[in-house]
Structures are given as structure tokens and as C-alpha cells.
Amino acid sequence: MSRPEELADALAKVRERIAAACRAAGRGEDEVGLVVVTKFFPASDVRLLAGLGVTDVGENRHQEARAKAEECADLGLRWHYIGGLQTNKAAAVARYADVVESVDRPELVTRLARGATETERQVDVLLQVSLDPPAAEHRFGAAPEALGALAESVVAAGEALRLRGLMAVAPLGEDPATAFARLAEVRAAFLSDHPDATLLSAGMSGDLEQAISAGATHVRVGSAVLGPRPQVQ
Ligand SMILES: *Cc1c(COP(=O)(O)O)cnc(C)c1O
């Protein structure tokens, strides 16, 4: 199979999985958006995906994301930054990302707002909430208790940033359905304070069905569309 055929085939399968999960959850099929995670894959793949109707792509490393966003600027895609974010890179990310999904501490907020303001852009923000046990190592995401203050900092940053919702990754070694059930509770509490922040980005190639059943409005799918990622390092 040629690469265009391969991508078209895999994308159709993922779209069908999303539609089936929506039906199973009693949700409308247009309620869940697909963000294709193109990290480690070339801009040529991004271009093919855009031709297949993909509108949203996700990246998790700043240099790679910036280069691809520049190379694909003519495609009108929405770029989601989904990776761990160093404080000193945040302003630069806000110069090309349309959505930053991995906001987990207040230091990032001021930097993102600065980058967005300098380029006269408005950047959508999702707060990444940790579903790990509190003592877990390499924990990404804010503790659920920290979301309130973090949300306030985004609102206080003014028009450059728009608080749109939450993002989470299911921890390894736990049934994703259990983790996403916790996420649904965290989200319900969050929505009562921020009723307009309705987005929920959760679910990847391996667990998108469980995430959709727990209320995800966006799934972030990489390998099920693009194939296995080349090994890093
Ligand atoms: C890489 C990545 C994904 C996509 O993972 P797949 O298992 O390849 O679908 C989703 N979310 C985040 C935060 C990622 O880093």
C-alpha cells in the first residue's frame, strides 16, 4: 500500500471506532473531535492527512512542532500542543499553537499570554489534570485540587488566552475506564465553576472508547492513524 492509501485506510478505521463509541455511549457522532497526533512523523504525512479531511493535529515537542506548523502553514490546520512544556518555551509555543492542552502550572500561563499577545493571537487553553496517584513519579498534570487556582490564572491573563476545558492521559497500569470515571467527576466539579470550559481531551489509540464513554469531546490519536512511531533515542 502507498502511504496515502495506508493513511486513508487507518483514518477511516479510527473514524469508525469513534462513531461506534459515540453510538454505544448514546452520544451524537459529531460530538467528538479527532486530533491526529503527528509527532515523529514528517510534514508530508500532515499534508496527506489534511487532504483526507483532518483539521486538527497534535504535537508534543516544541522544535518539531514549530517546524511542522511553519511548513504546513498553508493548510489551515489547528495545531494542538499536547506535550510537557518547559516554562522558558511557553511563550514561543503560543506563537504558533492554536490550542495548548498541557497547561499544568501557573508559571506557564503568564508566558503563554505573553507569546500570544506579542503575536496578536488568541490561544485556547486546556488544563492538564493528573489522574495518577498523588505519590506517582514523573507525574504530568495538575492535581485536581490545583485546578481552581490554575483556571483563575488563565481567566486573569485576559483576552490572549481562552479557558476551554480539561485534558488528561490515563495512567499506565490502571484500567482506563476507572481512570476516566475519576476524570468525569473532576470535570463535573470544574464545569460548575467554569460552565463555558466544556472541552475534554481524553483518549488515545488504545483507550478512545473508554474516554468517549466518560464524556471526552476530543480524542488524541497517533499510532492508530500513522502506524508505530520510530523509536526515540
Ligand atoms: C503521543 C500522545 C498521544 C497519542 O498516542 P497514541 O497512543 O499513539 O494514540 C496522545 N496524547 C498525548 C499526550 C501524547 O503524547
Side-chain angles (χ1 to χ4, degrees), residues 116-229:
T117 304
E118 282 168 3
T119 44
E120 297 180 9
R121 307 176 73 244
Q122 199 175 42
V123 175
D124 283 353
V125 166
L126 303 186
L127 308 183
Q128 183 172 356
V129 55
S130 172
L131 300 176
D132 296 333
E137 259 179 83
H138 307 301
R139 193 164 184 262
F140 280 108
E145 312 81 70
L147 288 178
L150 193 53
E152 288 316 321
S153 74
V154 175
V155 172
E159 288 195 347
L161 303 181
R162 286 200 303 178
L163 179 65
R164 300 300 308 278
L166 301 178
M167 181 272 234
V169 178
L172 293 173
E174 185 185 12
D175 178 355
T178 312
F180 290 143
R182 274 201 312 284
L183 175 62
E185 282 176 30
V186 170
R187 183 204 192 193
F190 183 75
L191 271 176
S192 67
D193 291 331
H194 299 281
D196 296 331
T198 53
L199 302 189
L200 182 62
S201 170
M204 320 200 297
S205 294
D207 57 16
L208 68 89
E209 284 84 2
Q210 290 89 340
I212 288 172
S213 130
T217 62
H218 288 80
V219 293
R220 307 176 306 269
V221 181
S223 46
V225 173
L226 289 138
R229 280 183 284 278

Side-chain angles (χ1 to χ4, degrees), residues 4-128:
E5 287 168 334
E6 215 168 71
L7 290 180
D9 193 57
L11 186 62
K13 288 191 176 117
V14 166
R15 285 180 170 145
E16 182 42 46
R17 276 177 67 190
I18 293 171
C22 287
R23 287 193 297 274
R27 303 179 60 192
E29 289 180 19
D30 54 1
E31 279 181 50
V32 178
L34 170 62
V35 178
V36 179
V37 178
T38 48
K39 65 189 185 198
F40 298 106
F41 288 94
S44 55
D45 280 348
V46 177
R47 202 162 277 282
L48 291 172
L49 290 166
L52 294 166
V54 167
T55 55
D56 290 72
V57 291
E59 289 284 337
N60 73 338
R61 297 188 305 181
H62 163 55
Q63 308 235 336
E64 179 184 346
R66 180 174 55 191
K68 268 185 237 176
E70 266 171 29
E71 208 172 327
C72 298
D74 58 309
L75 300 176
L77 293 165
R78 285 174 63 73
W79 292 84
H80 295 241
Y81 192 85
I82 62 171
L85 194 46
Q86 291 171 27
T87 309
N88 63 1
K89 303 271 170 64
V93 167
R95 294 190 171 98
Y96 61 84
D98 300 289
V99 188
V100 179
E101 301 202 5
S102 42
V103 175
D104 63 357
R105 54 194 196 280
E107 304 89 270
L108 293 176
V109 174
T110 40
R111 313 287 177 112
L112 287 169
R114 175 152 47 83
T117 304
E118 282 168 3
T119 44
E120 297 180 9
R121 307 176 73 244
Q122 199 175 42
V123 175
D124 283 353
V125 166
L126 303 186
L127 308 183
Q128 183 172 356

